Amino acid sequence: MAGIIFYILSVIAMLSFMPAGTAAVDLRQYLANYSCQGSNYHQCSNIAQNTCCRFVTQPARYRAFSCYNCPDVSIHSVWERDDNVGTWCDFLIDWRSGRNPNCMNLGSAGRALDGHSWCGGCRLGAARQSGLSRQMIDTTTGQILKCERSVEPDSLIVGNRTFDITTMSTVKHEELIKLAIGEEEIPTEFDTFERL
């Protein structure tokens, strides 16, 4: 009887850690703010857990990154890429547990970073060293936690405007990044990319 009660309580506890189906999780990469405040950031919108949101290369210089709408019990992780593997989330660099917006500051990392991901309801033990890769271990299942795939940001938020960068050329995207960093006025030629 005690075993059945323990099983039921375990299931209830697991369900309580599951992310709410109604809240879309967005991973944000801030261009200028160290505390995940304000605007001017890239975003991977409505991103599934264990999916790496890649960091865009030059001219972007991210200052911080956050997990917006992350469940109260979740893990927000930042990764470094293994060029020999190329999955963008090979080496675990840092992580935070906790609630929205789960902000991490790039200034303390001290190395090049390639992406970040989230995992809802994950319970972590200490990271352990395995060769050159630090790994997160789920203390409930004993499994190694890694992101399963990677995506690029789909939008760039500048001020109170959201621009769709999925159809934007690399040249235009880089130009928009520079305008955002410099807090310059956005030319009307970018209006066609704005999400209203």
Side-chain angles (χ1 to χ4, degrees):
M1 184 67 177
I4 295 175
I5 294 174
F6 177 77
Y7 173 77
I8 292 172
L9 291 175
S10 299
V11 171
I12 293 173
M14 179 185 68
L15 292 175
S16 69
F17 288 125
M18 294 296 288
T22 57
V25 172
D26 301 326
L27 292 181
R28 298 177 175 179
Q29 302 156 191
Y30 291 81
L31 296 170
N33 192 287
Y34 284 94
S35 56
C36 303
Q37 301 291 324
S39 57
N40 294 356
Y41 55 85
H42 276 109
Q43 177 169 286
C44 288
S45 307
N46 195 18
I47 188 170
Q49 63 179 339
N50 298 322
T51 299
C52 184
C53 178
R54 303 179 197 170
F55 289 169
V56 177
T57 55
Q58 295 184 10
R61 289 287 186 274
Y62 298 120
R63 299 294 183 263
F65 41 96
S66 68
C67 185
Y68 186 76
N69 279 337
C70 258
D72 286 351
V73 179
S74 59
I75 301 298
H76 181 204
S77 308
V78 63
W79 304 88
E80 189 175 66
R81 180 181 183 179
D82 181 351
D83 290 333
N84 295 320
V85 179
T87 60
W88 295 84
C89 49
D90 302 298
F91 300 146
L92 173 68
I93 303 303
D94 200 3
W95 70 92
R96 296 284 185 278
S97 60
R99 62 184 62 189
N100 176 59
N102 207 316
C103 181
M104 282 193 277
N105 187 307
L106 278 178
S108 61
R111 63 193 302 175
L113 302 172
D114 293 303
H116 57 143
S117 64
W118 72 281
C119 180
C122 295
R123 301 182 179 194
L124 301 184
R128 71 184 182 193
Q129 194 78 16
S130 176
L132 297 176
S133 177
R134 298 172 66 190
Q135 298 172 333
M136 288 190 300
I137 308 301
D138 188 319
T139 55
T140 302
T141 64
Q143 293 181 333
I144 296 172
L145 297 174
K146 292 194 68 174
C147 54
E148 299 163 354
R149 65 190 189 100
S150 65
V151 296
E152 294 184 354
D154 58 88
S155 55
L156 175 57
I157 289 75
V158 183
N160 60 354
R161 304 175 68 184
T162 299
F163 295 94
D164 183 349
I165 59 176
T166 59
T167 59
M168 193 179 293
S169 69
T170 301
V171 172
K172 285 295 182 188
H173 184 196
E174 291 179 352
E175 181 182 346
L176 186 58
I177 292 172
K178 292 176 181 177
L179 291 168
I181 294 173
E183 298 184 351
E184 300 177 37
E185 185 176 349
I186 307 299
T188 57
E189 63 188 273
F190 287 96
D191 289 354
T192 56
F193 298 101
E194 186 173 4
R195 292 176 179 169
L196 302 176

